[in-house]
Amino acid sequence: MNLVKLITPENLSEEREKFFRNNTYHPVFSYVWQLNKHTVEGLDHKSKLIDGILKQNTQAIIKYAKLLFDIDDWVELETAKKIINKKPEKLTLESVMDFVKAFQSAFEYFDLDGYNVKVFDSEGFNFRPVVSEKIIYMSKHANFQYFSVEGEVRHELVHIIRYENGRYNKIKKSQNYLPTEEGLATLMQDTGISGYISEFQHAAEYIASTIGM
């Protein structure tokens, strides 16, 4: 079962419009799992997290999300607060084709034959790499805020190169694969030419996550 699809509201765009039209409106989201019964098999952290979401077991959701994403405590909270003290200027909005061209150029540079970018009229994400299909899905409604073309390409290419390297060298995914993967991708994004800008957004997301918890 796809975790991202599971936690993305089906009525995200409609509820967002209502929210921004009325400053007292509270969004009411609907999800794909609310309409159908699902069963989850597996003892790994991801399976237990999905089972907790389906059963709306708050304690299970917190427990297994922290285990899956390797969050023991918020050790970088003070660092994140310092980063967001200085708000950078937002980047000039780039077009969808700017991102597509940049990814195609990167695929050619690294000899990643067969990889493509597909733009979808879907919301709730910016990019979703599906490496087994050699595709990066991009939302037509992507909201980049402080993320540059260069930074996004550096981030997503980490996922692809790690996958191809693991496949070629027959390296199995370890239990800590996911947090390591995202940590490395974020590091590459935040150390690019305009990395200090994406670092601001990542720090803000980090603080928002503590509030969500």
Side-chain angles (χ1 to χ4, degrees):
M1 191 175 296
N2 188 305
L3 179 60
V4 175
K5 187 175 181 180
L6 195 71
I7 63 176
T8 303
E10 292 186 297
N11 60 339
L12 180 61
S13 59
E14 296 94 329
E15 289 302 291
R16 183 176 60 213
E17 288 181 15
K18 293 177 185 177
F19 177 75
F20 284 114
R21 282 203 305 263
N22 187 333
N23 59 11
T24 62
Y25 180 77
H26 292 275
V28 180
F29 296 120
S30 62
Y31 298 88
V32 62
W33 49 265
Q34 290 175 322
L35 302 176
N36 303 288
K37 290 185 177 180
H38 296 271
T39 57
V40 180
E41 295 181 0
L43 299 174
D44 58 296
H45 300 330
K46 183 179 178 180
S47 296
K48 289 184 177 181
L49 171 59
I50 290 173
D51 187 60
I53 293 170
L54 295 176
K55 294 176 179 176
Q56 287 295 276
N57 183 334
T58 304
Q59 293 306 313
I61 292 171
I62 293 172
K63 177 181 178 180
Y64 292 110
K66 289 174 73 174
L67 288 170
L68 179 63
F69 295 102
D70 193 25
I71 301 170
D72 187 21
D73 50 34
W74 302 97
V75 293
E76 300 297 340
L77 184 56
E78 292 306 314
T79 302
K81 287 180 179 179
K82 289 178 182 177
I83 292 171
I84 67 167
N85 278 335
K86 187 177 180 181
K87 185 177 180 180
E89 293 290 328
K90 282 192 177 183
L91 296 165
T92 303
L93 290 175
E94 304 284 355
S95 71
V96 169
M97 285 309 301
D98 288 329
F99 285 93
V100 172
K101 289 176 182 177
F103 273 110
Q104 294 294 354
S105 178
F107 296 153
E108 292 175 11
Y109 180 84
F110 287 104
D111 291 326
L112 292 166
D113 294 332
Y115 274 89
N116 286 294
V117 179
K118 288 192 175 181
V119 181
F120 268 63
D121 188 10
S122 182
E123 299 195 60
F125 70 100
N126 287 350
F127 296 103
R128 283 181 188 160
V130 182
V131 286
S132 59
E133 300 175 11
K134 295 192 173 185
I135 294 174
I136 292 181
Y137 291 101
M138 177 181 178
S139 170
K140 190 170 73 173
H141 308 280
N143 185 0
F144 296 103
Q145 295 177 299
Y146 298 96
F147 291 159
S148 67
V149 172
E150 181 224 20
E152 291 286 9
V153 170
R154 286 167 66 98
H155 184 112
E156 301 304 335
L157 259 290
V158 167
H159 296 307
I160 292 173
I161 292 172
R162 290 250 301 167
Y163 168 80
E164 290 295 340
N165 179 63
R167 186 178 64 85
Y168 182 81
N169 291 294
K170 297 179 174 60
I171 301 171
K172 293 182 178 180
K173 289 184 179 180
S174 67
Q175 182 154 327
N176 293 325
Y177 183 90
L178 182 59
T180 303
E181 174 100 348
E182 282 302 325
L184 180 59
T186 300
L187 176 66
M188 290 302 296
Q189 185 169 4
D190 292 351
T191 51
I193 295 173
S194 56
Y196 69 97
I197 300 177
S198 63
E199 185 181 47
F200 171 84
Q201 183 159 331
H202 284 137
E205 291 173 355
Y206 187 85
I207 293 171
S209 297
T210 67
I211 296 169
M213 277 293 198

